[in-house]
Amino acid sequence: MQTNLADWAKNSSYGEEVDAILRKCVHCGFCSATCPSYQILGDERDSPRGRIYLIKEIVEGKEPTSITQKHLDQCLTCHNCETTCPSGVQYGHLVDIGRELVAERVVRTPADRFRRTLLAAGLNSQVFAPAVKLGRMLRSFMPATLAAKLPEARPAGALPAGRHQRQVLVPLGCVQPALMPSIDAATIRVLDAAGISSVDVSRNTCCGAVNFHLDKVKNSIAQMKSNIDAWVPLLESGQVEAVIMNASGCGAFVKEYPFYLRNEPDYLEKARYLVQHVKDIAEVIAPEAASLKARFKRPLPASAAFHPPCTLQHWQGLRPLTESLLRELGFDLKAFGEANLCCGSAGTYSVLQPEIATGLRDRKLESIGKTSPSVIITSNMGCMSHLQTGTQTPVRHWVEVVDAALSA
């Protein structure tokens, strides 16, 4: 794709990168076939190729409008197009830059600003957990759509007290400990069964994704720096061997820290060091699968459909490893169509774009339902909660199911 960047774009910190990304695009349109928003909306401007053109127009000097912003907002940032693209276009980086440029130039409506500010502040607040507890008590008085966003919490259970030679850090995130504490507890117990202890830094914090995707980029950068300051010394001192993520959305975002902190010289090298030690829980458990399976005290569900989150399969490329692990553990995985497409959760997307998110959820569940699984398993709480709102089939993080099989 030929480009003619405006002078202000050429001289910016991202000018060369934007130009290189744009020039890789060859207009082939393969991305449209795997773009979830395009599958639902059918508008070229809601395809990766269309959004690339919108961003190209901005950096070439055209002023963006609220329509531009709308089409960029409707992107789920699933990165499916990157998996599909034969030219290696780094669409994810481009759309992140494009959204920042538009946010600087287009004023959102008061209602949209209020909604985004409320989400960013609420999900990152210390009162979020008490609010969730209160909300669960008042579920019967809530609208069905809001009540569905508060899944019934499964008990966390007791945590192991033993200390192993191998130690890792399992960060407590912003939303998961309140909405689904059983996932973190199950992760710690499964790691313990594999001979790995979890170090507790007694510090709940967001990876930065929530603020970043709600136009609060400065707040997000501050959270990234805070996490680096807390985690890197533990790695450098040898106290922990890795930072373990049990939410693929958080893991994928943290692995992008070097890109987001590219203009922060004091943190860039630290970010590069950190991501070398960030592992999805599947990466750590995979070598221990056989020994864990031998310790199962309960049978696994009769059959399972594994929904690979976009942040696992397209951002991190860990779908093959995870599915191989699950089969080695003994899961009878049922294959279903369009497993590559997003379920519509995408962080706060399901709140901000409910119609598109619901359409994608129903499409995903229809494909899964044809296999009649006993349970749907996944690697991200957001996907888990979103899918559960549309089905009676239990939806679980796979580590919870393994934890149950290991329990007496």
Side-chain angles (χ1 to χ4, degrees):
M1 179 182 289
Q2 291 185 340
T3 59
N4 184 23
L5 268 58
D7 288 341
W8 62 264
K10 286 181 183 177
N11 298 325
S12 67
S13 60
Y14 50 79
E16 290 185 8
E17 183 164 13
V18 167
D19 195 47
I21 295 172
L22 289 172
R23 287 178 178 273
K24 279 188 176 181
C25 181
V26 296
H27 321 273
C28 67
F30 286 176
C31 54
S32 298
T34 57
C35 175
S37 58
Y38 182 71
Q39 299 302 308
I40 295 290
L41 300 169
D43 189 325
E44 173 69 13
R45 293 169 296 180
D46 288 308
S47 72
R49 182 172 62 180
R51 295 185 180 109
I52 286 172
Y53 271 107
L54 291 175
I55 296 168
K56 177 176 181 289
E57 288 178 339
I58 296 169
V59 296
E60 287 185 337
K62 183 177 179 179
E63 279 299 308
T65 67
S66 59
I67 299 299
T68 311
Q69 191 167 58
K70 171 188 171 184
H71 292 296
L72 295 186
D73 283 348
Q74 288 177 169
C75 171
L76 292 110
T77 326
C78 68
H79 290 212
N80 200 342
C81 55
E82 292 193 7
T83 300
T84 308
C85 180
S87 303
V89 175
Q90 290 182 295
Y91 170 83
H93 288 178
L94 183 66
V95 79
D96 282 340
I97 292 171
R99 282 170 169 162
E100 286 190 56
L101 291 175
V102 174
E104 292 170 358
R105 292 163 171 77
V106 176
V107 178
R108 293 186 181 275
T109 64
D112 196 14
R113 292 202 304 274
F114 174 76
R115 184 170 51 170
R116 288 169 174 268
T117 299
L118 184 64
L119 276 172
L123 295 176
N124 283 281
S125 171
Q126 292 183 350
V127 302
F128 177 72
V132 168
K133 290 181 180 178
L134 179 63
R136 285 186 170 129
M137 294 170 59
L138 302 175
R139 288 175 67 93
S140 58
F141 301 100
M142 291 182 176
T145 52
L146 180 58
K149 296 296 182 184
L150 290 173
E152 292 292 340
R154 292 184 284 279
L159 298 180
R163 277 292 198 199
H164 300 285
Q165 185 173 359
R166 294 183 64 188
Q167 298 190 52
V168 297
L169 172 65
V170 180
L172 298 179
C174 52
V175 174
Q176 187 165 279
L179 284 180
M180 200 54 62
S182 57
I183 296 176
D184 289 330
T187 299
I188 293 170
R189 285 191 292 267
V190 170
L191 285 168
D192 182 72
I196 305 170
S197 291
S198 171
V199 173
D200 178 17
V201 292
S202 300
R203 182 175 175 271
N204 292 49
T205 184
C206 181
C207 63
V210 170
N211 275 317
F212 189 86
H213 294 300
L214 291 172
D215 297 344
K216 313 295 182 183
V217 176
K218 289 183 179 179
N219 293 347
S220 176
I221 295 293
Q223 288 174 318
M224 296 181 210
K225 291 179 178 179
S226 176
N227 289 335
I228 288 173
D229 289 340
W231 300 344
V232 167
L234 295 175
L235 291 165
E236 290 179 332
S237 67
Q239 187 175 346
V240 298
E241 65 180 63
V243 177
I244 307 303
M245 297 292 179
N246 57 17
S248 63
C250 298
F253 190 81
V254 171
K255 288 181 179 180
E256 290 289 334
Y257 275 13
F259 171 70
Y260 300 135
L261 295 171
R262 62 194 181 279
N263 297 320
E264 302 284 344
D266 292 340
Y267 280 87
L268 179 56
E269 288 306 315
K270 293 179 183 178
R272 287 172 176 163
Y273 173 81
L274 172 64
V275 299
Q276 294 174 12
H277 298 83
V278 174
K279 305 292 182 184
D280 184 81
I281 179 64
E283 294 181 271
V284 181
I285 295 301
E288 316 298 332
S291 62
L292 284 177
K293 183 180 179 181
R295 299 181 61 178
F296 283 178
K297 297 178 177 67
R298 299 180 183 180
L300 294 171
S303 63
F306 174 60
H307 162 64
C310 298
T311 44
L312 186 84
Q313 62 174 328
H314 302 307
W315 286 58
Q316 302 185 73
L318 293 176
R319 177 181 172 183
L321 179 143
T322 306
E323 290 182 343
S324 177
L325 161 65
L326 294 174
R327 289 192 178 94
E328 191 172 352
L329 286 168
F331 283 93
D332 177 16
L333 298 184
K334 299 296 183 182
F336 57 91
E338 296 188 335
N340 63 305
L341 284 186
C342 183
C343 69
S345 173
T348 57
Y349 188 95
S350 61
V351 178
L352 297 172
Q353 308 285 345
E355 291 186 10
I356 303 173
T358 301
L360 289 168
R361 181 202 68 187
D362 293 346
R363 180 170 176 158
K364 174 73 68 173
L365 289 172
E366 182 181 2
S367 295
I368 292 175
K370 293 176 182 177
T371 70
S372 301
S374 306
V375 64
I376 300 170
I377 53 177
T378 187
S379 303
N380 193 60
M381 195 209 71
C383 300
M384 184 188 79
S385 301
H386 183 57
L387 290 172
Q388 191 69 84
T389 62
T391 181
Q392 294 300 311
T393 303
V395 187
R396 301 285 185 266
H397 194 298
W398 66 261
V399 79
E400 292 181 283
V401 183
V402 172
D403 176 52
L406 287 164
S407 300

